[in-house]
Amino acid sequence: MKKLSLLVLLMILPMAGLAAEGIEAITIAGDGKSYSVTLQILAVMTLLTVLPSLLVMMTSFTRIIIVFSILRQAMGTPQTPSNQILLGLALFLTFFIMSPVLEKVNDEALQPYLSDQLSADVAIKKGIQPFREFMLRQTRNDDLAMFARISGMPPINDADDVPLSLLLPAFVTSELKTAFQIGFMIFIPFLIIDMVVASVLMSMGMMMLSPLIISLPFKLMLFVLVDGWALIMETLAASFFT
């Protein structure tokens, strides 16, 4: 919960520099009093609608949720675990992976800003920098070069010269590639079980029996015996720290 609060406060920082200038919201006819809603509050409430997209685009959430979805399909249980459980697992694993980044943002940007040691503009730059470093580590050079070529930018020689508008789509593209690569490796063992079961049933002449019904218990047993959830969690976390 603390990490979530830090992320929300980081996104609210740009609004903190606005003047507390109010706009008239409601006027009571009887006594003529006006009740105002500040521009800052309106801007913050508007920004909250963008937070889910920022969470998906700038963190490890995309890779994790795609791998979980592919795993569910490979096991032959498209409704189990439910979407709520997968989203919860992906969210908490995202906070675990992003903890070093959020702690750095808190130490270098958020706390100095709250203690009036930094202005809002400087705090924003310092707060975005850890996210830039994280995304650059996970982004392929080919993807950066592709978006630079599409935008007509000259070749980028220094990572500090990569604009955020170019880094974000390149990072998401790299995350999609990595997620499908991990998903492919996860899918193969379950596919082999399906093929073996289908071959056995066909050799026995049991054409009318669905191979999925027979293979599902074997896939579940295999996944439990190898401690599949722990392996998946470890693989996903290690893929960001290596």
Side-chain angles (χ1 to χ4, degrees):
M1 204 63 190
K2 179 181 177 182
K3 305 301 180 186
L4 179 60
S5 301
L6 291 178
L7 190 57
V8 172
L9 285 173
L10 173 65
M11 302 310 172
I12 291 175
L13 277 179
M15 305 302 114
L18 297 175
E21 177 180 354
I23 59 176
E24 184 177 299
I26 301 174
T27 302
I28 306 298
D31 53 10
K33 293 183 178 178
S34 297
Y35 296 87
S36 299
V37 178
T38 64
L39 290 175
Q40 181 177 346
I41 294 177
L42 288 177
V44 168
M45 296 303 295
T46 303
L47 184 64
L48 289 177
T49 62
V50 187
L51 283 178
S53 299
L54 295 177
L55 175 65
V56 171
M57 293 179 61
M58 299 178 63
T59 65
S60 58
F61 185 85
T62 301
R63 183 188 305 185
I64 296 170
I65 195 62
I66 291 177
V67 171
F68 283 166
S69 299
I70 294 176
L71 170 65
R72 189 170 62 175
Q73 294 294 326
M75 292 178 64
T77 56
Q79 302 298 327
T80 305
S82 64
N83 290 332
Q84 290 83 356
I85 294 176
L86 288 186
L87 288 172
L89 285 173
L91 188 62
F92 285 114
L93 189 57
T94 297
F95 287 142
F96 169 75
I97 294 171
M98 300 298 296
S99 289
V101 176
L102 296 177
E103 289 175 359
K104 190 173 182 180
V105 171
N106 181 56
D107 295 338
E108 297 182 1
L110 183 58
Q111 293 302 325
Y113 170 76
L114 294 178
S115 59
D116 294 330
Q117 297 177 6
L118 294 177
S119 63
D121 293 340
V122 176
I124 293 168
K125 293 179 181 178
K126 287 184 174 292
I128 292 177
Q129 188 60 31
F131 283 94
R132 283 179 54 88
E133 295 173 356
F134 171 80
M135 290 189 288
L136 283 170
R137 287 198 303 268
Q138 308 301 327
T139 304
R140 292 176 171 83
N141 293 329
D142 294 341
D143 294 327
L144 282 174
M146 178 190 68
F147 282 99
R149 184 175 65 254
I150 293 173
S151 63
M153 291 181 58
I156 300 173
N157 299 319
D158 191 357
D160 294 334
D161 297 334
V162 180
L164 198 61
S165 60
L166 188 148
L167 178 58
L168 278 174
F171 169 72
V172 174
T173 304
S174 294
E175 288 295 282
L176 290 173
K177 290 181 181 178
T178 304
F180 277 93
Q181 289 174 351
I182 297 175
F184 173 77
M185 299 302 297
I186 292 173
F187 213 107
I188 290 177
F190 299 106
L191 180 61
I192 293 174
I193 294 177
D194 285 333
M195 294 175 63
V196 170
V197 171
S199 299
V200 171
L201 291 177
M202 187 174 296
S203 65
M204 295 174 64
M206 304 175 67
M207 304 294 185
M208 303 302 294
L209 183 60
S210 174
L212 296 178
I213 298 177
I214 306 300
S215 63
L216 179 58
F218 291 99
K219 290 190 286 188
L220 293 177
M221 181 180 65
L222 172 66
F223 194 69
V224 171
L225 289 177
V226 300
D227 198 7
W229 284 113
L231 289 176
I232 296 296
M233 298 289 187
E234 181 181 2
T235 301
L236 286 172
S239 67
F240 288 97
F241 286 106
T242 55

